[in-house]
Amino acid sequence: AGLGQYGQAQAVYDYGFEKAANRADELHYSLSNMMYAACTTAASLPHEPWTMEQALAQAEAAFAKRPLSIYTKRKADCLYALKRYAEAQDAYLSLTRTNLRSPELFMYASLCLQRQEGSPADSIVALQDSALAFYAQPYPREAAPVILMRAASLQAAGRKREAVADYNTYEHLNGGNMTAAFYYTREQLEVECRMYPAALNDIERAVRLSPDDAVLRAEQAALNYRVGQVEEAVMAAKEAIRIDPAMPDAYRILGVCLRQQGKKAEARAQLQKAVELGDTLAGDILNKEE
């Protein structure tokens, strides 16, 4: 199997089934694991004649011979890979009542629920809460992936301040070594929660980490304008335009800032440029002026 010679590997297993029938469950489980691994390697690697459906069938055959929890775990993994999320969720949750009970099982169950259309966001959070209940507070480093998942789920559930708190904890557990995308995501939440000092701090961090990102510069401009720091907003908007001269948002923000400074002619020119680039909001501002 390691050499990609799956047909020959299958022949060895078939020989094993003939010679060791009393341990067939172990062989079915081993074969399921091999098939699963083959099917989840890089897409460029062939895995015929093995399929994920066959991996599932082998896991089920192992369980039929001997009902062990580890066989159910492999079945759950196969169901998830096959996008049979409701069945996979049931399988993972059944394992939380066995000796395999772990935070990972609740995380897997929450992922299954996330992928089912119309799932209540609070139910997803509840499963992640169950995963975190395994850890004592203050949370250890290994709890970080669960906390990050719950932060996103809390955000989707509209529980924004709780989401910010989870993002804060995640940052702490990672020693503050975060990406520009992380700080931008948290900044967006902080703005919605009217946590403006924290939001300004985060967008500045994001810009420092990714100074040539026009979107971040435009966001920095918009946030500075919102809190009354017009000069800073103008500088950030001009930087966004320098990086991406075809960014309508940056021209609109710059135009609004210049209008605030009383520079009407310059403001109108910037707003008109935004309109030319397809920005309807800038058009509305110009129409109100008229």
Side-chain angles (χ1 to χ4, degrees), residues 26-46:
E26 297 176 39
L27 287 172
H28 283 300
Y29 177 61
S30 175
L31 179 53
S32 178
N33 286 341
M34 287 286 190
M35 289 177 167
Y36 181 86
C39 294
T40 52
T41 52
S44 59
L45 297 177

Side-chain angles (χ1 to χ4, degrees), residues 187 191 196 200 203-204 217-237 249-262 267 271 285 289:
E187 180 263 352
V191 169
Y196 296 126
L200 280 168
I203 196 62
E204 286 168 9
R217 293 285 189 175
E219 177 65 19
Q220 184 183 32
L223 182 54
N224 273 286
Y225 175 76
R226 181 180 289 215
V227 299
Q229 297 179 176
V230 181
E231 278 296 333
E232 290 84 347
V234 168
M235 289 189 292
D249 287 359
Y251 289 101
R252 172 170 35 84
I253 296 165
L254 179 57
V256 170
C257 290
L258 291 170
R259 191 176 63 165
Q260 182 77 16
Q261 293 177 325
L271 290 169
I285 294 169
E289 286 184 352

Side-chain angles (χ1 to χ4, degrees), residues 42 44 72 162 268:
S44 59
T72 300
E162 293 174 78
R268 186 172 185 80

